[in-house]
């Protein structure tokens, strides 16, 4: 046959042949909207002109030794069409029709040399996640079970979408449904490209854009890796790639974002958009080494993905709990990820150096949050800094690097940080970020007083328990007349109520018992206890910073706790001036906690 042969075929002719989706192809990923769109487009064309032909794209195939066309490109569309045919047959049967004509396009009976008959589907799926889904489709009993794989769940949803489409469009009119079937198999066409071998088919694959869920850089990279591989490693490569995609999917992470961050972290590319990724990968094949060892490169991606997901979960690169990574997670939430570039780059650093890197990453993220810098700057700074991490193997070397990068950038923003932090509006930041700020300040004083070995101090998550700990407004959010009378002017002003100086972290029992009472009642030495062993009042808190609001914490002469709270002056009265004073104390503390100081 010619190296490349293309044929214009109606779907009735297409499904007169047999197809296979090879086991190294990606699983079925189309969602309901893509299925709905395909069927709606076909229906619209039929409604406008029942005799007009409708072209739905192309497929790239290689004819294998069993007589099946292996789908190298177009497997998502072909699988959807196969499901749509099965659903159409099922809808016909629900309306009392036999659906025999359509059944021949779904499966046929083959007779071997011994005369044994077997029912053979027109499409088979050879990847693991397919399970027995084709047999269920052919038999008309497909339903996604609770433990179904992603592919089976997607196919069950596609079948349900198609059934709903037919019912909505044609109702109980079997004749109209049959007319749609006739249009589908006679007027809907595609081009089948048949090549003389896998290598050529994969090359053509690169230039064709799949309908609906388009080919992105991750899909093209997979294709490229198989092109560069010898058939002997196909099985291992398929397994390694599936592990990579499944790992990212389970974590809810976009594979393309991971791939981009991996490149930024590893190769120091300053600017690289997602739509430029594949070209960059091809242009830098020698640097990446996937041409020489596609399987080894895929395994490196897997190793990086494991660490990447661990970081997102607040764990160290080895998957163990890590207080410094946990703190970054609590600050970043789900919306900020640029720090992962740095953590990926530093995942193999010595433990003490990696911890120092995490602390610097957390500090710079927070400084940018407070000073309202554009986070896009991270994708310029972080890749450049990531490359420098490669040559660091001791804490001394890291500290020199940090001084020229993180520390310098924080010091450049120090004056602005001080102004913005002192003017912080608790309503202007996200709830989890406000809790992070109060948790971090509270933890810092406890660490200084109790030390890192004290129970419940080292881990920032101990200060994040939303049920056991509340954010206390010293002047309540809804002041009563007694509060207004005691506070004076400004008791109702949001600028005072939501000032960082008016906020504290307190145990839920303490917060509830103090309620909306005036400050004088909250701090009175004779403050009543509602229940035995139920702490009330700021001085009863286990948090040193919270206790300093109303009382001087004294343990001994020059003890660690005394030194930790020495900068905080307790208040006898609470008003706008007191809020301003406490704001100043917390701002000075914040500059130390996040190490944001102007150049000497």
């Amino acid at each position: 046959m010619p190296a490349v042969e293309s044929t214009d075929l109606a779907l009735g002719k297409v499904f007169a042949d047999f197809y296979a989706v090879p086991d190294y192809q990606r699983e079925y990923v189309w969602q309901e909207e893509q299925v709905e769109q395909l069927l709606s487009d076909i229906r619209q064309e039929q409604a406008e002109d029942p005799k007009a032909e409708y072209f739905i794209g192309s497929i790239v195939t290689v004819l294998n030794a069993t007589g099946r066309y292996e789908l190298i490109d177009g497997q998502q569309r072909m699988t959807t069409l196969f499901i749509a045919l099965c659903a159409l047959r099922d809808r016909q049967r629900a309306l009392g029709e036999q659906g025999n004509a359509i059944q021949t396009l779904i499966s046929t009976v083959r007779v071997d040399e011994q005369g044994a008959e077997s029912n053979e589907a027109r499409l088979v799926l050879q990847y693991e996640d397919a399970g027995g889904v084709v047999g269920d489709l052919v038999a008309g009993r497909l339903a996604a079970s609770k433990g179904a794989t992603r592919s089976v769940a997607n196919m069950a949803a596609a079948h349900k979408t198609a059934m709903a489409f037919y019912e909505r469009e044609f109702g109980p009119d079997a004749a109209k449904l049959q007319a749609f079937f006739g249009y589908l198999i006679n007027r809907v066409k595609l081009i089948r490209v048949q090549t003389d071998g896998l290598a050529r088919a994969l090359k053509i694959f690169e230039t064709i854009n799949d309908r609906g869920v388009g080919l992105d850089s991750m899909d093209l990279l997979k294709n490229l890796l198989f092109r560069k591989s010898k058939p002997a490693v196909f099985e291992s490569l398929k397994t390694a790639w599936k592990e990579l995609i499944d790992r990212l999917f389970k974590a809810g992470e976009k594979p393309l974002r991971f791939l981009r961050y991996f490149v930024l972290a590893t190769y120091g590319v300053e600017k690289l958009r997602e739509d430029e990724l594949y070209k960059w990968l091809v242009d830098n094949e020698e640097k990446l080494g996937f041409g020489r060892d596609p399987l080894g490169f895929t395994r490196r991606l897997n190793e990086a993905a494991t660490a990447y997901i661990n970081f997102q979960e607040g764990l160290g690169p080895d998957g163990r709990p890590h207080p410094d990574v946990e703190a970054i997670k609590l600050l970043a939430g789900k919306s900020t990820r640029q720090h992962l570039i740095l953590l990926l780059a530093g995942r193999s650093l010595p433990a003490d150096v990696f911890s120092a890197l995490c602390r610097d990453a957390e500090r710079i993220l927070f400084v940018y949050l407070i000073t309202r810098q554009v986070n896009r700057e991270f994708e310029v700074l972080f890749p450049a800094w990531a490359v420098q991490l490669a040559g660091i193997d001791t804490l001394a070397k890291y500290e020199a690097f940090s001084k020229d990068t993180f520390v310098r950038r924080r010091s450049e923003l120090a004056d602005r940080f001080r102004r913005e932090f002192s003017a912080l509006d608790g309503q202007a930041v996200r709830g989890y970020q406000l809790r992070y700020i109060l948790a971090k300040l509270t933890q810092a004083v406890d660490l200084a007083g109790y030390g890192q070995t004290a129970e419940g101090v080292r881990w920032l998550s101990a200060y994040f328990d939303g049920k056991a700990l509340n954010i206390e407004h010293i002047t309540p959010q809804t002041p009563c007349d007694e509060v207004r009378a005691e506070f004076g002017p400004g008791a109702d002003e949001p600028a005072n109520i939501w000032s960082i100086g008016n906020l504290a972290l307190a145990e839920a029992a303490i917060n509830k018992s103090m309620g909306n009472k005036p400050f004088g009642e909250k701090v009175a030495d004779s403050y009543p206890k509602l229940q035995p062993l139920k702490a009330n009042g700021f001085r009863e808190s286990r948090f040193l910073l919270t206790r300093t609001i109303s009382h001087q914490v004294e343990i001994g002469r020059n003890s660690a706790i005394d030194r930790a709270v020495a900068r905080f002056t307790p208040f006898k009265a609470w008003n706008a001036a007191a809020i301003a004073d406490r704001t100043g104390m917390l701002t000075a503390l914040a500059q130390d906690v996040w190490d944001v100081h102007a150049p000497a």
Side-chain angles (χ1 to χ4, degrees):
M1 63 165 287
V4 179
E5 183 179 279
S6 61
T7 311
D8 183 353
L9 297 171
L11 289 188
K13 295 289 186 182
V14 171
F15 282 98
D17 293 316
F18 296 87
Y19 299 86
V21 178
D23 58 0
Y24 55 82
Q25 292 285 23
R26 67 174 176 171
E27 297 78 12
Y28 185 68
V29 298
W30 271 27
Q31 302 295 307
E32 295 176 22
E33 56 266 29
Q34 282 89 36
V35 177
E36 179 78 29
Q37 187 66 56
L38 176 61
L39 293 174
S40 295
D41 287 348
I42 295 171
R43 172 60 176 148
Q44 183 176 346
E45 290 294 322
Q46 180 206 16
E48 291 179 359
D49 184 355
K51 295 188 179 298
E53 294 182 340
Y54 182 50
F55 175 65
I56 59 170
S58 60
I59 59 176
V60 180
T61 67
V62 175
L63 191 63
N64 66 23
T66 69
R68 284 188 178 271
Y69 290 94
E70 290 192 2
L71 288 161
I72 308 306
D73 181 43
Q75 69 269 27
Q76 301 294 321
R77 187 186 311 107
M78 284 290 287
T79 304
T80 303
L81 290 169
F82 182 77
I83 294 170
L85 287 172
C86 293
L88 204 157
R89 175 210 58 198
D90 296 341
R91 180 58 184 162
Q92 284 180 332
R93 291 176 177 174
L95 295 175
E97 302 294 323
Q98 292 299 313
N100 292 331
I102 196 170
Q103 184 64 40
T104 63
L105 301 178
I106 296 171
S107 66
T108 189
V109 176
R110 279 193 173 183
V111 181
D112 64 19
E113 294 178 355
Q114 281 71 43
E117 296 183 359
S118 62
N119 197 32
E120 188 164 357
R122 298 286 180 181
L123 176 73
V124 296
L125 310 175
Q126 296 176 332
Y127 49 81
E128 282 182 32
D129 279 5
V133 66
V134 170
D136 289 340
L137 281 165
V138 170
R141 59 171 183 265
L142 178 65
S145 63
K146 184 177 180 181
T149 65
R150 178 172 52 149
S151 293
V152 172
N154 286 341
M155 283 185 267
H159 184 273
K160 182 178 179 181
T161 300
M163 288 287 283
F165 174 84
Y166 299 140
E167 184 174 0
R168 183 177 67 248
E169 285 292 321
F170 309 114
D173 195 327
K176 287 184 178 179
L177 183 65
Q178 184 68 13
F180 180 78
F181 170 55
Y183 181 82
L184 183 68
I185 65 170
N186 291 298
R187 295 297 177 180
V188 178
K189 292 190 168 185
L190 57 74
I191 293 175
R192 184 173 68 195
V193 179
Q194 181 181 348
T195 68
D196 60 351
L198 180 60
R200 194 180 302 277
L202 289 169
K203 182 65 177 176
I204 295 172
F205 172 89
E206 288 187 18
T207 65
I208 296 178
N209 210 2
D210 211 3
R211 180 191 178 98
V213 179
L215 300 177
D216 60 25
S217 296
M218 205 71 176
D219 300 317
L220 292 170
L221 174 60
K222 176 185 176 183
N223 164 62
L224 185 59
L225 292 173
F226 274 98
R227 280 181 53 209
K228 299 289 183 180
S229 298
K230 295 179 180 179
V233 301
F234 270 24
E235 186 65 27
S236 297
L237 181 57
K238 180 201 73 172
T239 300
W241 188 267
K242 185 177 184 303
E243 288 174 357
L244 172 65
I245 298 302
D246 285 352
R247 183 173 285 122
L248 294 169
F249 175 77
K250 185 178 180 181
E253 179 57 40
K254 296 178 180 177
L256 200 58
R257 177 165 52 205
F258 159 72
L259 180 61
R260 178 168 172 266
Y261 279 10
F262 171 80
V263 169
L264 293 175
T266 310
Y267 303 102
V269 184
E270 290 190 6
K271 290 184 179 180
L272 184 62
R273 300 196 313 266
E274 285 188 355
D275 60 358
E276 299 172 333
L277 254 176
Y278 183 67
K279 183 179 185 305
W280 187 91
L281 291 167
V282 172
D283 291 345
N284 291 273
E285 177 183 328
E286 281 300 313
K287 183 187 294 187
L288 277 69
F290 62 77
R292 298 185 301 274
D293 185 9
L295 179 58
F297 178 75
T298 304
R299 286 171 173 165
R300 289 197 298 277
L301 284 178
N302 254 308
E303 178 271 328
T306 300
Y308 181 90
I309 293 166
N310 284 337
F311 298 149
Q312 285 189 309
E313 295 175 352
L315 306 173
D318 57 1
R320 296 178 181 178
H322 195 293
D324 299 308
V325 183
E326 178 194 78
I328 300 177
K329 175 195 174 186
L330 295 174
L331 165 61
K334 296 181 179 179
S335 60
T336 302
R337 284 185 168 86
Q338 291 94 333
H339 60 281
L340 296 171
I341 299 171
L342 286 172
L343 301 194
L344 271 178
R347 65 188 183 277
S348 298
L349 291 172
D352 57 345
V353 179
F354 179 74
S355 293
L357 172 65
C358 290
R359 291 190 290 271
D360 270 334
E362 179 191 359
R363 289 165 183 159
I364 199 72
L365 285 177
F366 183 70
V367 170
Y368 269 54
L369 169 68
I370 295 300
T371 58
R372 291 176 284 188
Q373 297 295 301
V374 178
N375 282 357
R376 286 194 297 272
E377 183 181 331
F378 288 148
E379 295 195 4
V380 176
L381 292 178
F382 287 0
W385 294 351
V387 173
Q388 298 178 51
L389 289 171
I392 293 174
D393 55 5
T394 66
L395 190 57
K397 289 181 181 178
Y398 178 81
E399 288 171 349
F401 156 78
S402 176
K403 184 177 180 181
D404 289 337
T405 52
F406 292 104
V407 175
R408 176 180 295 176
R409 187 66 185 119
R410 292 198 302 268
S411 68
E412 291 169 351
L413 295 168
D415 289 340
R416 183 168 180 176
F417 178 86
R418 185 178 62 255
R419 292 194 305 271
E420 296 290 348
F421 191 90
S422 62
L424 183 68
D425 178 354
Q427 288 183 298
V429 296
R430 296 176 179 179
Y432 71 88
Q433 291 172 333
L434 179 60
R435 183 169 287 272
Y436 164 83
I437 294 168
L438 293 171
K440 193 75 176 178
L441 293 172
T442 305
Q443 181 198 38
V445 180
D446 286 351
L447 282 171
Y450 299 131
Q452 291 208 13
T453 58
E455 184 70 24
V457 173
R458 186 182 180 208
W459 300 89
L460 190 61
S461 56
Y463 296 78
F464 258 76
D465 188 337
K467 293 182 179 179
L469 304 174
N470 294 160
I471 294 177
E472 160 71 13
H473 290 72
I474 302 173
T475 291
Q477 296 182 66
T478 53
C480 61
D481 290 340
E482 291 86 348
V483 170
R484 294 188 186 95
E486 181 188 77
F487 187 92
D492 292 286
E493 292 181 9
N496 285 326
I497 293 171
W498 286 97
S499 168
I500 189 66
N502 191 56
L503 305 177
L505 197 64
E507 293 84 347
I510 292 176
N511 176 258
K512 182 178 180 180
S513 63
M514 290 193 295
N516 290 342
K517 295 180 173 64
F519 181 75
E521 290 189 36
K522 291 182 178 181
V523 303
D525 289 337
S526 60
Y527 193 80
K529 294 180 182 292
L530 299 181
Q531 299 177 33
L533 305 179
K534 289 286 186 180
N536 298 290
F538 295 118
R539 73 172 184 177
E540 302 296 335
S541 174
R542 74 174 187 268
F543 303 131
L544 293 174
L545 182 60
T546 303
R547 287 160 63 182
T548 63
I549 294 171
S550 61
H551 294 81
Q552 185 69 49
V553 179
E554 294 179 330
I555 302 299
R557 179 175 296 181
N558 197 31
S559 69
I561 292 178
D562 291 329
R563 292 192 298 272
V565 300
R567 69 168 79 187
F568 303 107
T569 303
F571 295 91
K572 300 299 182 183
W574 196 253
N575 48 37
I579 291 176
D581 287 347
R582 187 165 184 268
T583 296
M585 297 178 197
L586 295 183
T587 300
L589 174 62
Q591 289 182 276
D592 289 342
V593 170
W594 287 282
D595 191 18
V596 192
H597 299 284

